[in-house]
């Protein structure tokens, strides 16, 4: 026995946690069009993975240089503790939103999710905009 770790335990190039996985997540997020979103699970599925939580970790550690606000939770809510700054981006991009006022807002996934029909840009998107 040589003391080396078995090769079965080493991450593959595209495994969650590998540099390639990080790069691929960031490439997918960078390609999300303005005004559109993907969930963490959508990003993982695009990569042929089910590692939505790992996508969240990638975004937390490396996502500051890509449009991070375009990746939302399955409920349509933005990243925790980033709601205020995300809202500024959503309004600037015309991202369709639900709620607001006394209720927390969230992204309208039916209208804004990548793969959904293009949202109308002339419509008001948020109840607080009225």
């Amino acid at each position: 026995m040589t003391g080396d770790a078995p090769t079965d335990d080493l991450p593959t190039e595209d495994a969650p946690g590998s540099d390639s996985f990080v790069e691929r997540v960031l490439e997918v997020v960078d390609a999300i069009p303005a005004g559109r979103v993907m969930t963490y699970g959508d990003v993982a599925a695009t990569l042929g993975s089910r590692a939505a939580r790992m996508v969240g970790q990638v975004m937390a550690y490396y996502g500051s240089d890509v449009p991070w606000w375009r990746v939302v939770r399955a409920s349509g809510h933005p990243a925790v503790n980033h709601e205020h700054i995300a809202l500024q981006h959503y309004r600037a991009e015309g991202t369709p939103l639900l709620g607001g006022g006394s209720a927390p807002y969230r992204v309208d996934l039916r209208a804004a999710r990548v793969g959904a029909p293009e949202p109308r840009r002339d419509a008001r998107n948020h109840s607080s905009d009225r």
Side-chain angles (χ1 to χ4, degrees), residues 2-105:
T2 65
D4 294 334
T7 57
D8 292 351
D9 293 340
L10 298 176
T12 62
E13 183 177 320
D14 292 332
S18 71
D19 287 341
S20 178
F21 185 80
V22 170
E23 291 169 7
R24 292 175 61 214
V25 165
L26 297 177
E27 287 172 3
V28 168
V29 173
D30 202 34
I32 300 171
R36 304 303 286 241
V37 298
M38 293 177 82
T39 66
Y40 294 98
D42 293 340
V43 173
T46 298
L47 300 175
S49 173
R50 293 178 45 193
R53 289 179 187 234
M54 185 59 68
V55 170
Q57 290 296 308
V58 168
M59 293 303 297
Y61 288 104
Y62 306 104
S64 64
D65 290 336
V66 295
W68 55 265
W69 58 92
R70 296 181 189 155
V71 182
V72 297
R73 294 180 274 169
S75 63
H77 291 96
V80 175
N81 297 323
H82 292 65
E83 297 89 353
H84 182 71
I85 189 82
L87 182 58
Q88 293 174 14
H89 289 290
Y90 297 144
R91 286 181 172 162
E93 294 181 357
T95 306
L97 302 173
L98 299 171
S102 61
Y105 78 91

